[in-house]
Amino acid sequence: MKVAFFDAKPYDKPSFDRFGKEAGVSFKYFETKLNEDTVELAHDVDAVCVFVNDTVNAAVIDRLVEMGVRTVALRCAGFNNVDMKYAHGRVHVLRVPAYSPYAVAEHTMAMLLTSIRRIHKAYIRTRDFNFSLAGMTGFDLHGKTVGVVGTGRIGRVFIDICRGFGMKVLAYDKFPAQGLDNGDTIRYVELDELFRNSDIISLHCPLTEDTYHLVDAETLEKCKRGVVLLNTSRGALVDAEALLAGIKSRKVGAACLDVYEEESDFFFEDFSGHILEDDTLARLISMPNVIVTSHQAFLTEEALSNIAQTTIENLVTFQKTGECPNELCFRGGCAEDCKTGKCF
Ligand code: NAI
């Protein structure tokens, strides 16, 4: 099987080549992202393999179908970059639902600790032999309340980590997990209560029409003064302009962002030496209480290996049987992952 692999990075190739060779799948690697202009590169392949910032919209889907390419293998969990309604009945969309929830949850905690204990500042200071502690005061996580939006695979691992720190958890999910709420240290609440009563808020839900700008000026208004916002899920869950305003007004105490609404123009690329065109991103990065990583929460050895293995298993299983347990299952009108696996 021949697969066009878009948005290829050097760290992708070793594991995809290794597992691909074993399974008889060969990859044509393209550094460019998939979009209307680059879709022609898929003219002689059986499937395309795409990542978070490739565009699989109606125009791309139409051209893929014209070229006889009916399989889109996402090498990620999120699928907001695919027009799923349009894909229905035209192309089959396979994804990697879980590769290492630990990678993302641990990165989220790493960012939180870095931020509130000023590790990023201390690293720079001590390298300069500046051993002053001025401005380094942090706060204990023990006893604080963390609001977790989305209690799926990553959200639940993050809750476990927070519980290890002795934090209380307020959780919200459109589909609450059975048995998670213990009526005491972990409680499901409405979003409004979560926003009002959390010291730290961490987003682990998918980006859908429901969750677009879940954190905006109105929701930030409800939050405690000094709230810490963590977003390692999808950029557009947060209205970046509203966040910037919240930081300037001191309502938001700190923000840790692994994702950004307009990240596809910048993240994963080297812009050092250039003038950053996005004023909001530049201003956010310039804030002493904002930490930005460029969508790297997934990037562990374990996750890369699992991503390659599952993507290739998906492709091979689908080619052999015409079915795949990791095919995204959407009816035309269904707005989110219905989890039945049956309705496509
Ligand atoms: P999951 O599917 O296991 O969990 C998502 C949870 O969100 C589910 O429990 C679902 O019921 C819930 N949910 C759906 N709609 C909701 C809504 N409107 N409000 C509140 N909750 C809602 O997904 P998983 O593996 O935990 O991933 C979560 C998100 O993390 C992904 O959607 C993706 O955007 C992001 N992600 C980020 C990565 C990174 O490198 N920064 C890597 C992998 C995933």
Side-chain angles (χ1 to χ4, degrees):
M1 189 190 327
K2 250 164 80 176
V3 180
F5 191 108
F6 287 90
D7 202 10
K9 295 284 180 284
Y11 51 76
D12 289 318
K13 294 180 191 174
S15 40
F16 273 90
D17 280 344
R18 175 156 72 92
F19 292 111
K21 203 170 166 194
E22 287 167 13
V25 179
S26 68
F27 292 98
K28 267 176 107 171
Y29 294 105
F30 298 110
E31 284 181 18
T32 181
K33 294 183 180 62
L34 176 63
N35 56 41
E36 292 95 323
D37 299 326
T38 60
V39 63
E40 297 304 322
L41 293 167
H43 65 92
D44 61 346
V45 297
D46 305 296
V48 292
C49 180
V50 301
F51 196 50
V52 292
N53 291 322
D54 290 295
T55 305
V56 188
N57 58 16
V60 168
I61 291 169
D62 279 343
R63 189 64 194 121
L64 287 174
V65 172
E66 278 166 23
M67 292 190 291
V69 181
R70 292 288 192 147
T71 310
V72 176
L74 294 167
R75 53 181 192 279
C76 52
F79 44 84
N80 51 284
N81 53 330
V82 181
D83 185 337
M84 286 305 307
K85 286 182 190 165
Y86 197 76
H88 180 76
R90 293 183 171 87
V91 288
H92 295 275
V93 182
L94 319 177
R95 70 160 175 163
V96 182
Y99 36 89
S100 172
Y102 311 103
V104 182
E106 288 171 15
H107 188 83
T108 311
M109 181 50 85
M111 292 186 91
L112 173 60
L113 285 172
T114 302
S115 169
I116 66 161
R117 301 310 303 269
R118 318 281 191 259
I119 305 294
H120 54 311
K121 299 277 167 205
Y123 176 76
I124 308 250
R125 262 191 208 182
T126 54
R127 281 173 66 89
D128 212 17
F129 306 131
N130 175 354
F131 302 110
S132 153
L133 291 183
M136 293 299 203
T137 311
F139 63 82
D140 291 3
L141 287 180
H142 188 270
K144 294 291 182 305
T145 299
V146 60
V148 177
V149 183
T151 54
R153 282 166 282 248
I154 296 169
R156 287 204 301 272
V157 174
F158 185 66
I159 287 173
D160 283 348
I161 294 173
C162 290
R163 288 294 306 131
F165 278 79
M167 300 167 84
K168 295 189 188 101
V169 178
L170 296 179
Y172 173 79
D173 197 298
K174 206 172 168 185
F175 309 96
Q178 293 293 317
L180 184 66
D181 187 324
N182 61 14
D184 180 20
T185 48
I186 307 176
R187 286 193 303 118
Y188 273 113
V189 294
E190 289 305 316
L191 260 184
D192 193 68
E193 186 179 342
L194 186 150
F195 282 120
R196 287 185 195 283
N197 294 333
S198 300
D199 302 298
I200 296 147
I201 296 173
S202 196
L203 307 178
H204 299 288
C205 58
L207 175 62
T208 64
E209 281 167 20
D210 280 359
T211 60
Y212 177 77
H213 284 188
L214 182 82
V215 175
D216 60 10
E218 200 184 320
T219 42
L220 284 175
E221 193 48 45
K222 296 178 189 169
C223 290
K224 286 189 178 184
R225 194 167 174 80
V227 66
V228 177
L229 178 71
L230 313 173
N231 187 9
T232 56
S233 194
R234 283 294 179 266
L237 296 176
V238 176
D239 177 345
E241 296 281 351
L243 175 63
L244 186 55
I247 286 165
K248 284 182 176 168
S249 71
R250 317 304 196 257
K251 177 85 180 186
V252 177
C256 302
L257 311 172
D258 186 51
V259 286
Y260 173 68
E261 191 163 1
E262 304 302 331
E263 70 176 47
S264 59
D265 294 339
F266 306 102
F267 281 18
F268 306 115
E269 308 300 335
D270 181 359
F271 280 90
S272 55
H274 294 258
I275 293 165
L276 200 71
E277 296 291 344
D278 186 319
D279 287 353
T280 308
L281 180 60
R283 192 80 176 97
L284 280 170
I285 289 173
S286 77
M287 293 289 178
N289 51 353
V290 175
I291 295 182
V292 174
T293 52
S294 58
H295 208 134
Q296 78 175 68
F298 75 99
L299 197 64
T300 64
E301 295 284 350
E302 292 81 357
L304 286 176
S305 187
N306 291 343
I307 287 169
Q309 219 169 349
T310 307
T311 305
I312 290 161
E313 271 169 25
N314 286 347
L315 285 162
V316 170
T317 307
F318 191 76
Q319 194 191 38
K320 280 192 185 146
T321 66
E323 288 178 19
C324 172
N326 293 329
E327 177 167 9
L328 281 167
C329 163
F330 277 70
R331 266 189 214 289
C334 175
E336 67 274 318
D337 190 353
C338 73
K339 296 176 190 253
T340 66
K342 301 279 180 252
C343 70
F344 188 35

